[in-house]
Amino acid sequence: MSAAAPSPAAGAAPDAAPGREAVASAYQHFEPRAYLRNNYAPPRGDLSSPDGVGPWKLRCLAQTFATGVARESQRGSVPLPRPVSARSSQDSDPGEVSGRTLMDIGSGPTIYQLLSACTHFEDITMTDFLEVNRQELGLWLREEPGAFDWSMYSQHVCLIEGKGESWREKERQLRARVKRVLHIDVHQPQPLGAGNLAPLPVDALVSAFCLEAVSPDLPSFQRALDHITTLLRPGGHLLLIGALEESWYLAGEARLVVVPMCKEEVMEALVRSGYEVRDLRTYIMPACLQTGVDDVKGIFFAWAQKKEGV
């Protein structure tokens, strides 16, 4: 998106071609490494404080995949499972959010959102609109020189999961279970296009900081959510992470516009797309993590289940 994106023509749908073209044009200037430095290196990438945004996201994901139930404590954290060091690293309780196939919608250049998922799903599809992001993912998946170092995130996930697994084992498992990295356009009724290679419908969807960041407005966000929901089987689960009350962010030379959303609007959108919202919680971005790379006020995490017949 661009701050200079044209308004839709009178009578046109809010996410009509000009709006979508403005989004696509702005993202041609997206710099994956700048985005990673801004959000996944210190200070935001500092995982040493349990109150940081990184540990909060990883806890939300780990607990939901492990048990299907994750409730916040008063200070906003999620209760952790009791470590069981004698259990094999390849063993896992299936939990409610489990199956064979999982798709990550709008992966960007990041893999942290799948570190807990890979224990519970054997066939994972990653997707992104931008070739530069798919290339960045490929560097890490192929263990090529110059790939972004996610080892601190992998170590942290192993710590909070408490199964005695090493971070190297965790990363090997994720690399083995990502079967494909595909192009996606969430603004199309068939987001993956015709003749795609993904096994559809999938058992679960994950999406982090995608839909609100590529939609010109709230109606467009709703349609994008509707589109990706077609990729999910009835009864399947969606884990959605996104920004609250954010209007822009930086990724190198790109200054990208975001649809500002509140918790209630996220809830309403999920219900309209045919989900039962199982859990929805928020994180307030502390002043020490407001670094000038965006104007985000907080983060939401939603666990929703697609209703039968949708």
Side-chain angles (χ1 to χ4, degrees):
M1 281 166 280
S2 169
S7 299
D15 69 341
R20 294 199 303 267
E21 289 171 3
V23 170
S25 176
Y27 270 91
Q28 298 312 306
H29 303 286
F30 183 94
E31 299 178 28
R33 285 305 173 99
Y35 174 78
L36 291 170
R37 285 193 303 271
N38 291 347
N39 295 283
Y40 299 99
R44 289 185 177 178
D46 180 4
L47 305 181
S48 63
S49 170
D51 296 324
V53 63
W56 184 83
K57 290 184 293 184
L58 295 176
R59 286 196 302 268
C60 289
L61 290 163
Q63 283 296 310
T64 304
F65 279 115
T67 67
V69 177
R71 297 300 179 190
E72 296 271 354
S73 72
Q74 288 185 349
R75 69 175 188 173
S77 63
V78 180
L80 304 182
R82 180 179 301 170
V84 185
S85 59
R87 194 165 69 184
S88 166
S89 65
Q90 296 302 313
D91 295 337
S92 63
D93 298 327
E96 191 169 354
V97 184
S98 60
R100 191 181 74 84
T101 57
L102 178 143
M103 183 173 293
D104 183 24
I105 302 294
S107 305
T110 68
I111 61 90
Y112 74 92
Q113 66 274 20
L114 298 174
L115 288 167
S116 290
C118 69
T119 305
H120 303 275
F121 295 85
E122 64 186 56
D123 185 310
I124 295 175
T125 301
M126 301 188 77
T127 68
D128 202 75
F129 180 76
L130 294 178
E131 176 64 23
V132 291
N133 281 339
R134 299 196 300 273
Q135 290 173 349
E136 186 69 39
L137 293 174
L139 292 177
W140 187 85
L141 291 168
R142 296 187 297 269
E143 300 185 76
E144 294 188 7
F148 189 79
D149 182 6
W150 290 102
S151 62
M152 293 301 294
Y153 282 77
S154 304
Q155 291 173 44
H156 195 81
V157 169
C158 290
L159 176 66
I160 63 177
E161 288 181 344
K163 296 182 291 186
E165 183 180 18
S166 76
W167 69 269
R168 294 184 187 277
E169 287 179 294
K170 172 68 75 177
E171 291 194 349
R172 279 196 293 270
Q173 185 179 55
L174 177 54
R175 288 186 173 103
R177 293 192 165 187
V178 173
K179 305 301 184 184
R180 60 199 69 80
V181 181
L182 303 179
H183 175 270
I184 193 168
D185 184 347
V186 298
H187 295 302
Q188 299 300 321
Q190 291 184 304
L192 298 174
N196 70 82
L197 301 176
L200 296 176
V202 295
D203 296 315
L205 296 175
V206 170
S207 188
F209 303 103
C210 174
L211 301 187
E212 75 280 8
V214 301
S215 298
D217 47 37
L218 278 173
S220 179
F221 175 94
Q222 182 72 66
R223 279 186 284 271
L225 181 59
D226 290 345
H227 293 160
I228 69 168
T229 299
T230 66
L231 306 174
L232 180 64
R233 68 168 176 83
H237 297 268
L238 166 66
L239 303 187
L240 187 67
I241 300 175
L244 290 172
E245 302 297 346
E246 181 181 33
S247 65
W248 61 271
Y249 75 97
L250 301 177
E253 295 298 316
R255 187 179 190 276
L256 301 151
V257 175
V258 182
V259 176
M261 301 189 68
C262 65
K263 178 181 179 180
E264 291 74 22
E265 288 167 329
V266 174
M267 173 78 79
E268 182 179 353
L270 288 167
V271 171
R272 285 186 174 182
S273 287
Y275 289 95
E276 176 190 353
V277 179
R278 304 290 299 276
D279 198 7
L280 178 58
R281 42 205 145 105
T282 60
Y283 173 90
I284 298 174
M285 190 68 74
C288 63
L289 297 183
Q290 295 177 13
T291 58
V293 299
D294 54 40
D295 64 346
V296 66
K297 304 300 187 297
I299 308 296
F300 71 84
F301 173 85
W303 166 33
Q305 187 170 16
K306 184 177 178 180
K307 295 179 179 178
E308 299 290 340
V310 174

